[in-house]
Amino acid sequence: MARRATAVFLACLYTLGVAPAGARASAAPAGGSAHCAADDATSRAASHTSGHVAVRRRGPGGLTHAVEPHEPDPAEVARMEEDLRRRLSARPGGGYVPGADSAAVGPGVPMAPVATATPGTPAASGVPGGAGTATQAGEEIRVPMWVHIIRDGALGLPDSAVTRQVATLNAAYSGSLGGVDTHVRFVLRGVTHTTDRQWFRDPLGHEAAMKKRLHIGGQDTLNLYVAQLGELVLGYATYPYWYADDPDLDGVVIDWRSVPGGPLREFDKGFTAVHEIGHWLGLLHTFENGCQTPGDAVDDTPFEAYPTTGCPARKDSCSATGDDPLHNYMDYGQDRCMREFTSGQAVRIRQMWDAYRRPGAPGALKGQSAATPLTTAQPM
Ligand SMILES: [Zn+2]
């Protein structure tokens, strides 16, 4: 409750344009605005349907992003990290090895033909190294992907934009735009189409109904819902750790205007999906925990006190070594500012994939969360 109240308050400050970027706690505001009321209603609706949502937002006017209202709080992040740590230590030779996945760039994955889909149809997994095996460093993680287009009449994502968005995902995750090759590739399995004015206008408020109707596949299948989000919000995602508790809610929602070539100024390169899918794969914001250890739990992204807005030439918000990673996809800069994942993030993605998302991953099973002791007998 406190987390949500704080988030709503901060969102209001951003709407008013008076908050210091990244402020996580300060005195209550003296007044509100229509924006605040709308945001509060959105937040309540989202909390009602799911407490497990992380949101990328766009700020008003010259600002870029506000604080995410459903971002996991520090205690939840700590639980996620502890669960991952236990799963890694339980497997033979397990443990975090920074840079272990910085192998040479591999070949891209050709696009799969777009199929027509019937919602609720299970999708076959295209992931190599099937149940019971961990992936090897450098091995491609092929993510089967379904795109669910929600429309209101003629308004919404055109089909022609789907291939552009998937291509951007593969470009970003392969390092062809900058940074490392994470060895994650997205393979489009199909597209569903739904015409629903309410879902289109307020996917956050109708999240449970929408996802239960449309969600396809298991923990390894990315479901990308494309609708229109309300004031300030660009997209939101669920984390791998949450899958076991509510599989139907797993997935990513983005604003259709944020796709490559879309009409959303400064957020029109398709990096909203890159960012949100980063969360879906288990990455935290680069400014997670501010200047405090463990930061974002990745060794090669310098600490960052608060999110980046716009695209400054340079930013160094913590006394620890290293400028802020303002070009990282997991910061909050404008799309023109984003261009890279790091080796450490690639390692974390693979660890998360092995623990929670690959077929047979024990972390995807209910009752196998951090509270349950793990044994080496469990396949990882
Ligand atoms: Zn985010």
mmCIF file with all atom_site columns, all heavy atoms in Angstrom, residues 128-149:
data_model
loop_
_atom_site.group_PDB
_atom_site.id
_atom_site.type_symbol
_atom_site.label_atom_id
_atom_site.label_alt_id
_atom_site.label_comp_id
_atom_site.label_asym_id
_atom_site.label_entity_id
_atom_site.label_seq_id
_atom_site.pdbx_PDB_ins_code
_atom_site.Cartn_x
_atom_site.Cartn_y
_atom_site.Cartn_z
_atom_site.occupancy
_atom_site.B_iso_or_equiv
_atom_site.pdbx_formal_charge
_atom_site.auth_seq_id
_atom_site.auth_comp_id
_atom_site.auth_asym_id
_atom_site.auth_atom_id
_atom_site.pdbx_PDB_model_num
ATOM 1   N N   . PRO A 1 128 ? 16.077 -24.365 -27.947 1.00 0.00 ? 128 PRO A N   1
ATOM 2   C CA  . PRO A 1 128 ? 16.979 -25.511 -27.879 1.00 0.00 ? 128 PRO A CA  1
ATOM 3   C C   . PRO A 1 128 ? 17.359 -25.800 -26.435 1.00 0.00 ? 128 PRO A C   1
ATOM 4   O O   . PRO A 1 128 ? 17.144 -24.983 -25.553 1.00 0.00 ? 128 PRO A O   1
ATOM 5   C CB  . PRO A 1 128 ? 18.198 -25.042 -28.668 1.00 0.00 ? 128 PRO A CB  1
ATOM 6   C CG  . PRO A 1 128 ? 18.184 -23.557 -28.512 1.00 0.00 ? 128 PRO A CG  1
ATOM 7   C CD  . PRO A 1 128 ? 16.727 -23.165 -28.449 1.00 0.00 ? 128 PRO A CD  1
ATOM 8   N N   . GLY A 1 129 ? 17.974 -26.931 -26.216 1.00 0.00 ? 129 GLY A N   1
ATOM 9   C CA  . GLY A 1 129 ? 18.369 -27.282 -24.858 1.00 0.00 ? 129 GLY A CA  1
ATOM 10  C C   . GLY A 1 129 ? 17.132 -27.428 -24.020 1.00 0.00 ? 129 GLY A C   1
ATOM 11  O O   . GLY A 1 129 ? 16.917 -26.663 -23.089 1.00 0.00 ? 129 GLY A O   1
ATOM 12  N N   . GLY A 1 130 ? 16.295 -28.378 -24.313 1.00 0.00 ? 130 GLY A N   1
ATOM 13  C CA  . GLY A 1 130 ? 14.951 -28.485 -23.743 1.00 0.00 ? 130 GLY A CA  1
ATOM 14  C C   . GLY A 1 130 ? 14.925 -28.760 -22.263 1.00 0.00 ? 130 GLY A C   1
ATOM 15  O O   . GLY A 1 130 ? 15.855 -28.423 -21.537 1.00 0.00 ? 130 GLY A O   1
ATOM 16  N N   . ALA A 1 131 ? 13.841 -29.369 -21.818 1.00 0.00 ? 131 ALA A N   1
ATOM 17  C CA  . ALA A 1 131 ? 13.605 -29.551 -20.398 1.00 0.00 ? 131 ALA A CA  1
ATOM 18  C C   . ALA A 1 131 ? 14.772 -30.270 -19.729 1.00 0.00 ? 131 ALA A C   1
ATOM 19  O O   . ALA A 1 131 ? 15.321 -31.228 -20.248 1.00 0.00 ? 131 ALA A O   1
ATOM 20  C CB  . ALA A 1 131 ? 12.325 -30.344 -20.211 1.00 0.00 ? 131 ALA A CB  1
ATOM 21  N N   . GLY A 1 132 ? 15.120 -29.767 -18.566 1.00 0.00 ? 132 GLY A N   1
ATOM 22  C CA  . GLY A 1 132 ? 16.116 -30.457 -17.768 1.00 0.00 ? 132 GLY A CA  1
ATOM 23  C C   . GLY A 1 132 ? 17.544 -30.046 -18.054 1.00 0.00 ? 132 GLY A C   1
ATOM 24  O O   . GLY A 1 132 ? 18.465 -30.586 -17.457 1.00 0.00 ? 132 GLY A O   1
ATOM 25  N N   . THR A 1 133 ? 17.753 -29.113 -18.946 1.00 0.00 ? 133 THR A N   1
ATOM 26  C CA  . THR A 1 133 ? 19.123 -28.692 -19.240 1.00 0.00 ? 133 THR A CA  1
ATOM 27  C C   . THR A 1 133 ? 19.252 -27.187 -19.087 1.00 0.00 ? 133 THR A C   1
ATOM 28  O O   . THR A 1 133 ? 18.315 -26.448 -19.327 1.00 0.00 ? 133 THR A O   1
ATOM 29  C CB  . THR A 1 133 ? 19.519 -29.067 -20.674 1.00 0.00 ? 133 THR A CB  1
ATOM 30  O OG1 . THR A 1 133 ? 18.651 -28.372 -21.573 1.00 0.00 ? 133 THR A OG1 1
ATOM 31  C CG2 . THR A 1 133 ? 19.404 -30.558 -20.896 1.00 0.00 ? 133 THR A CG2 1
ATOM 32  N N   . ALA A 1 134 ? 20.425 -26.767 -18.679 1.00 0.00 ? 134 ALA A N   1
ATOM 33  C CA  . ALA A 1 134 ? 20.713 -25.343 -18.647 1.00 0.00 ? 134 ALA A CA  1
ATOM 34  C C   . ALA A 1 134 ? 21.339 -24.956 -19.970 1.00 0.00 ? 134 ALA A C   1
ATOM 35  O O   . ALA A 1 134 ? 21.971 -25.769 -20.635 1.00 0.00 ? 134 ALA A O   1
ATOM 36  C CB  . ALA A 1 134 ? 21.671 -25.032 -17.503 1.00 0.00 ? 134 ALA A CB  1
ATOM 37  N N   . THR A 1 135 ? 21.138 -23.716 -20.370 1.00 0.00 ? 135 THR A N   1
ATOM 38  C CA  . THR A 1 135 ? 21.753 -23.262 -21.611 1.00 0.00 ? 135 THR A CA  1
ATOM 39  C C   . THR A 1 135 ? 23.229 -22.983 -21.373 1.00 0.00 ? 135 THR A C   1
ATOM 40  O O   . THR A 1 135 ? 23.653 -22.712 -20.255 1.00 0.00 ? 135 THR A O   1
ATOM 41  C CB  . THR A 1 135 ? 21.067 -21.987 -22.121 1.00 0.00 ? 135 THR A CB  1
ATOM 42  O OG1 . THR A 1 135 ? 21.189 -20.977 -21.124 1.00 0.00 ? 135 THR A OG1 1
ATOM 43  C CG2 . THR A 1 135 ? 19.607 -22.241 -22.420 1.00 0.00 ? 135 THR A CG2 1
ATOM 44  N N   . GLN A 1 136 ? 24.006 -23.059 -22.419 1.00 0.00 ? 136 GLN A N   1
ATOM 45  C CA  . GLN A 1 136 ? 25.440 -22.789 -22.328 1.00 0.00 ? 136 GLN A CA  1
ATOM 46  C C   . GLN A 1 136 ? 25.716 -21.349 -22.750 1.00 0.00 ? 136 GLN A C   1
ATOM 47  O O   . GLN A 1 136 ? 25.005 -20.796 -23.570 1.00 0.00 ? 136 GLN A O   1
ATOM 48  C CB  . GLN A 1 136 ? 26.204 -23.750 -23.252 1.00 0.00 ? 136 GLN A CB  1
ATOM 49  C CG  . GLN A 1 136 ? 25.984 -25.217 -22.945 1.00 0.00 ? 136 GLN A CG  1
ATOM 50  C CD  . GLN A 1 136 ? 26.431 -25.591 -21.538 1.00 0.00 ? 136 GLN A CD  1
ATOM 51  O OE1 . GLN A 1 136 ? 27.547 -25.295 -21.144 1.00 0.00 ? 136 GLN A OE1 1
ATOM 52  N NE2 . GLN A 1 136 ? 25.537 -26.218 -20.778 1.00 0.00 ? 136 GLN A NE2 1
ATOM 53  N N   . ALA A 1 137 ? 26.772 -20.776 -22.163 1.00 0.00 ? 137 ALA A N   1
ATOM 54  C CA  . ALA A 1 137 ? 27.155 -19.421 -22.543 1.00 0.00 ? 137 ALA A CA  1
ATOM 55  C C   . ALA A 1 137 ? 27.384 -19.365 -24.049 1.00 0.00 ? 137 ALA A C   1
ATOM 56  O O   . ALA A 1 137 ? 28.058 -20.216 -24.612 1.00 0.00 ? 137 ALA A O   1
ATOM 57  C CB  . ALA A 1 137 ? 28.421 -19.014 -21.798 1.00 0.00 ? 137 ALA A CB  1
ATOM 58  N N   . GLY A 1 138 ? 26.793 -18.402 -24.685 1.00 0.00 ? 138 GLY A N   1
ATOM 59  C CA  . GLY A 1 138 ? 26.943 -18.267 -26.127 1.00 0.00 ? 138 GLY A CA  1
ATOM 60  C C   . GLY A 1 138 ? 25.867 -18.978 -26.925 1.00 0.00 ? 138 GLY A C   1
ATOM 61  O O   . GLY A 1 138 ? 25.690 -18.699 -28.107 1.00 0.00 ? 138 GLY A O   1
ATOM 62  N N   . GLU A 1 139 ? 25.158 -19.900 -26.274 1.00 0.00 ? 139 GLU A N   1
ATOM 63  C CA  . GLU A 1 139 ? 24.072 -20.610 -26.960 1.00 0.00 ? 139 GLU A CA  1
ATOM 64  C C   . GLU A 1 139 ? 22.889 -19.653 -27.132 1.00 0.00 ? 139 GLU A C   1
ATOM 65  O O   . GLU A 1 139 ? 22.557 -18.895 -26.235 1.00 0.00 ? 139 GLU A O   1
ATOM 66  C CB  . GLU A 1 139 ? 23.650 -21.806 -26.109 1.00 0.00 ? 139 GLU A CB  1
ATOM 67  C CG  . GLU A 1 139 ? 22.489 -22.609 -26.682 1.00 0.00 ? 139 GLU A CG  1
ATOM 68  C CD  . GLU A 1 139 ? 22.061 -23.737 -25.734 1.00 0.00 ? 139 GLU A CD  1
ATOM 69  O OE1 . GLU A 1 139 ? 22.842 -24.086 -24.828 1.00 0.00 ? 139 GLU A OE1 1
ATOM 70  O OE2 . GLU A 1 139 ? 20.944 -24.236 -25.893 1.00 0.00 ? 139 GLU A OE2 1
ATOM 71  N N   . GLU A 1 140 ? 22.292 -19.707 -28.290 1.00 0.00 ? 140 GLU A N   1
ATOM 72  C CA  . GLU A 1 140 ? 21.155 -18.833 -28.529 1.00 0.00 ? 140 GLU A CA  1
ATOM 73  C C   . GLU A 1 140 ? 19.960 -19.210 -27.671 1.00 0.00 ? 140 GLU A C   1
ATOM 74  O O   . GLU A 1 140 ? 19.637 -20.388 -27.521 1.00 0.00 ? 140 GLU A O   1
ATOM 75  C CB  . GLU A 1 140 ? 20.742 -18.877 -30.003 1.00 0.00 ? 140 GLU A CB  1
ATOM 76  C CG  . GLU A 1 140 ? 21.368 -17.770 -30.803 1.00 0.00 ? 140 GLU A CG  1
ATOM 77  C CD  . GLU A 1 140 ? 20.855 -17.713 -32.229 1.00 0.00 ? 140 GLU A CD  1
ATOM 78  O OE1 . GLU A 1 140 ? 19.912 -18.454 -32.560 1.00 0.00 ? 140 GLU A OE1 1
ATOM 79  O OE2 . GLU A 1 140 ? 21.417 -16.945 -33.009 1.00 0.00 ? 140 GLU A OE2 1
ATOM 80  N N   . ILE A 1 141 ? 19.340 -18.217 -27.112 1.00 0.00 ? 141 ILE A N   1
ATOM 81  C CA  . ILE A 1 141 ? 18.062 -18.390 -26.425 1.00 0.00 ? 141 ILE A CA  1
ATOM 82  C C   . ILE A 1 141 ? 16.997 -17.907 -27.395 1.00 0.00 ? 141 ILE A C   1
ATOM 83  O O   . ILE A 1 141 ? 16.877 -16.710 -27.664 1.00 0.00 ? 141 ILE A O   1
ATOM 84  C CB  . ILE A 1 141 ? 18.014 -17.570 -25.120 1.00 0.00 ? 141 ILE A CB  1
ATOM 85  C CG1 . ILE A 1 141 ? 19.057 -18.086 -24.130 1.00 0.00 ? 141 ILE A CG1 1
ATOM 86  C CG2 . ILE A 1 141 ? 16.611 -17.600 -24.521 1.00 0.00 ? 141 ILE A CG2 1
ATOM 87  C CD1 . ILE A 1 141 ? 19.193 -17.232 -22.884 1.00 0.00 ? 141 ILE A CD1 1
ATOM 88  N N   . ARG A 1 142 ? 16.267 -18.837 -27.944 1.00 0.00 ? 142 ARG A N   1
ATOM 89  C CA  . ARG A 1 142 ? 15.240 -18.481 -28.931 1.00 0.00 ? 142 ARG A CA  1
ATOM 90  C C   . ARG A 1 142 ? 13.896 -18.379 -28.218 1.00 0.00 ? 142 ARG A C   1
ATOM 91  O O   . ARG A 1 142 ? 13.392 -19.367 -27.676 1.00 0.00 ? 142 ARG A O   1
ATOM 92  C CB  . ARG A 1 142 ? 15.179 -19.519 -30.039 1.00 0.00 ? 142 ARG A CB  1
ATOM 93  C CG  . ARG A 1 142 ? 16.445 -19.530 -30.901 1.00 0.00 ? 142 ARG A CG  1
ATOM 94  C CD  . ARG A 1 142 ? 16.478 -20.725 -31.819 1.00 0.00 ? 142 ARG A CD  1
ATOM 95  N NE  . ARG A 1 142 ? 15.397 -20.712 -32.815 1.00 0.00 ? 142 ARG A NE  1
ATOM 96  C CZ  . ARG A 1 142 ? 15.521 -20.194 -34.037 1.00 0.00 ? 142 ARG A CZ  1
ATOM 97  N NH1 . ARG A 1 142 ? 16.650 -19.631 -34.402 1.00 0.00 ? 142 ARG A NH1 1
ATOM 98  N NH2 . ARG A 1 142 ? 14.524 -20.252 -34.885 1.00 0.00 ? 142 ARG A NH2 1
ATOM 99  N N   . VAL A 1 143 ? 13.355 -17.188 -28.224 1.00 0.00 ? 143 VAL A N   1
ATOM 100 C CA  . VAL A 1 143 ? 12.121 -16.920 -27.485 1.00 0.00 ? 143 VAL A CA  1
ATOM 101 C C   . VAL A 1 143 ? 10.937 -16.943 -28.449 1.00 0.00 ? 143 VAL A C   1
ATOM 102 O O   . VAL A 1 143 ? 10.815 -16.068 -29.308 1.00 0.00 ? 143 VAL A O   1
ATOM 103 C CB  . VAL A 1 143 ? 12.184 -15.541 -26.792 1.00 0.00 ? 143 VAL A CB  1
ATOM 104 C CG1 . VAL A 1 143 ? 10.899 -15.272 -26.019 1.00 0.00 ? 143 VAL A CG1 1
ATOM 105 C CG2 . VAL A 1 143 ? 13.403 -15.468 -25.874 1.00 0.00 ? 143 VAL A CG2 1
ATOM 106 N N   . PRO A 1 144 ? 10.066 -17.944 -28.327 1.00 0.00 ? 144 PRO A N   1
ATOM 107 C CA  . PRO A 1 144 ? 8.846  -17.909 -29.133 1.00 0.00 ? 144 PRO A CA  1
ATOM 108 C C   . PRO A 1 144 ? 7.978  -16.733 -28.703 1.00 0.00 ? 144 PRO A C   1
ATOM 109 O O   . PRO A 1 144 ? 7.871  -16.443 -27.508 1.00 0.00 ? 144 PRO A O   1
ATOM 110 C CB  . PRO A 1 144 ? 8.156  -19.246 -28.826 1.00 0.00 ? 144 PRO A CB  1
ATOM 111 C CG  . PRO A 1 144 ? 8.875  -19.856 -27.688 1.00 0.00 ? 144 PRO A CG  1
ATOM 112 C CD  . PRO A 1 144 ? 10.120 -19.070 -27.399 1.00 0.00 ? 144 PRO A CD  1
ATOM 113 N N   . MET A 1 145 ? 7.393  -16.080 -29.663 1.00 0.00 ? 145 MET A N   1
ATOM 114 C CA  . MET A 1 145 ? 6.734  -14.806 -29.367 1.00 0.00 ? 145 MET A CA  1
ATOM 115 C C   . MET A 1 145 ? 5.385  -14.705 -30.078 1.00 0.00 ? 145 MET A C   1
ATOM 116 O O   . MET A 1 145 ? 5.270  -15.022 -31.259 1.00 0.00 ? 145 MET A O   1
ATOM 117 C CB  . MET A 1 145 ? 7.673  -13.685 -29.840 1.00 0.00 ? 145 MET A CB  1
ATOM 118 C CG  . MET A 1 145 ? 7.128  -12.296 -29.731 1.00 0.00 ? 145 MET A CG  1
ATOM 119 S SD  . MET A 1 145 ? 8.396  -11.147 -30.336 1.00 0.00 ? 145 MET A SD  1
ATOM 120 C CE  . MET A 1 145 ? 7.500  -9.613  -30.133 1.00 0.00 ? 145 MET A CE  1
ATOM 121 N N   . TRP A 1 146 ? 4.399  -14.274 -29.346 1.00 0.00 ? 146 TRP A N   1
ATOM 122 C CA  . TRP A 1 146 ? 3.088  -13.958 -29.924 1.00 0.00 ? 146 TRP A CA  1
ATOM 123 C C   . TRP A 1 146 ? 2.794  -12.485 -29.708 1.00 0.00 ? 146 TRP A C   1
ATOM 124 O O   . TRP A 1 146 ? 3.038  -11.945 -28.623 1.00 0.00 ? 146 TRP A O   1
ATOM 125 C CB  . TRP A 1 146 ? 1.988  -14.790 -29.252 1.00 0.00 ? 146 TRP A CB  1
ATOM 126 C CG  . TRP A 1 146 ? 1.987  -16.207 -29.738 1.00 0.00 ? 146 TRP A CG  1
ATOM 127 C CD1 . TRP A 1 146 ? 2.740  -17.240 -29.258 1.00 0.00 ? 146 TRP A CD1 1
ATOM 128 C CD2 . TRP A 1 146 ? 1.209  -16.744 -30.820 1.00 0.00 ? 146 TRP A CD2 1
ATOM 129 N NE1 . TRP A 1 146 ? 2.489  -18.387 -29.974 1.00 0.00 ? 146 TRP A NE1 1
ATOM 130 C CE2 . TRP A 1 146 ? 1.548  -18.108 -30.929 1.00 0.00 ? 146 TRP A CE2 1
ATOM 131 C CE3 . TRP A 1 146 ? 0.269  -16.200 -31.697 1.00 0.00 ? 146 TRP A CE3 1
ATOM 132 C CZ2 . TRP A 1 146 ? 0.975  -18.942 -31.890 1.00 0.00 ? 146 TRP A CZ2 1
ATOM 133 C CZ3 . TRP A 1 146 ? -0.297 -17.025 -32.648 1.00 0.00 ? 146 TRP A CZ3 1
ATOM 134 C CH2 . TRP A 1 146 ? 0.051  -18.383 -32.743 1.00 0.00 ? 146 TRP A CH2 1
ATOM 135 N N   . VAL A 1 147 ? 2.299  -11.849 -30.732 1.00 0.00 ? 147 VAL A N   1
ATOM 136 C CA  . VAL A 1 147 ? 1.905  -10.445 -30.636 1.00 0.00 ? 147 VAL A CA  1
ATOM 137 C C   . VAL A 1 147 ? 0.383  -10.380 -30.657 1.00 0.00 ? 147 VAL A C   1
ATOM 138 O O   . VAL A 1 147 ? -0.259 -10.937 -31.557 1.00 0.00 ? 147 VAL A O   1
ATOM 139 C CB  . VAL A 1 147 ? 2.491  -9.614  -31.794 1.00 0.00 ? 147 VAL A CB  1
ATOM 140 C CG1 . VAL A 1 147 ? 1.970  -8.177  -31.745 1.00 0.00 ? 147 VAL A CG1 1
ATOM 141 C CG2 . VAL A 1 147 ? 4.021  -9.631  -31.734 1.00 0.00 ? 147 VAL A CG2 1
ATOM 142 N N   . HIS A 1 148 ? -0.177 -9.742  -29.653 1.00 0.00 ? 148 HIS A N   1
ATOM 143 C CA  . HIS A 1 148 ? -1.634 -9.593  -29.552 1.00 0.00 ? 148 HIS A CA  1
ATOM 144 C C   . HIS A 1 148 ? -1.994 -8.134  -29.822 1.00 0.00 ? 148 HIS A C   1
ATOM 145 O O   . HIS A 1 148 ? -1.703 -7.255  -29.003 1.00 0.00 ? 148 HIS A O   1
ATOM 146 C CB  . HIS A 1 148 ? -2.115 -10.006 -28.160 1.00 0.00 ? 148 HIS A CB  1
ATOM 147 C CG  . HIS A 1 148 ? -1.682 -11.384 -27.757 1.00 0.00 ? 148 HIS A CG  1
ATOM 148 N ND1 . HIS A 1 148 ? -2.240 -12.520 -28.310 1.00 0.00 ? 148 HIS A ND1 1
ATOM 149 C CD2 . HIS A 1 148 ? -0.746 -11.812 -26.874 1.00 0.00 ? 148 HIS A CD2 1
ATOM 150 C CE1 . HIS A 1 148 ? -1.669 -13.594 -27.768 1.00 0.00 ? 148 HIS A CE1 1
ATOM 151 N NE2 . HIS A 1 148 ? -0.762 -13.197 -26.903 1.00 0.00 ? 148 HIS A NE2 1
ATOM 152 N N   . ILE A 1 149 ? -2.576 -7.891  -30.966 1.00 0.00 ? 149 ILE A N   1
ATOM 153 C CA  . ILE A 1 149 ? -2.942 -6.524  -31.345 1.00 0.00 ? 149 ILE A CA  1
ATOM 154 C C   . ILE A 1 149 ? -4.369 -6.257  -30.882 1.00 0.00 ? 149 ILE A C   1
ATOM 155 O O   . ILE A 1 149 ? -5.304 -6.960  -31.274 1.00 0.00 ? 149 ILE A O   1
ATOM 156 C CB  . ILE A 1 149 ? -2.835 -6.327  -32.864 1.00 0.00 ? 149 ILE A CB  1
ATOM 157 C CG1 . ILE A 1 149 ? -1.387 -6.535  -33.329 1.00 0.00 ? 149 ILE A CG1 1
ATOM 158 C CG2 . ILE A 1 149 ? -3.340 -4.946  -33.258 1.00 0.00 ? 149 ILE A CG2 1
ATOM 159 C CD1 . ILE A 1 149 ? -1.217 -6.463  -34.839 1.00 0.00 ? 149 ILE A CD1 1
#
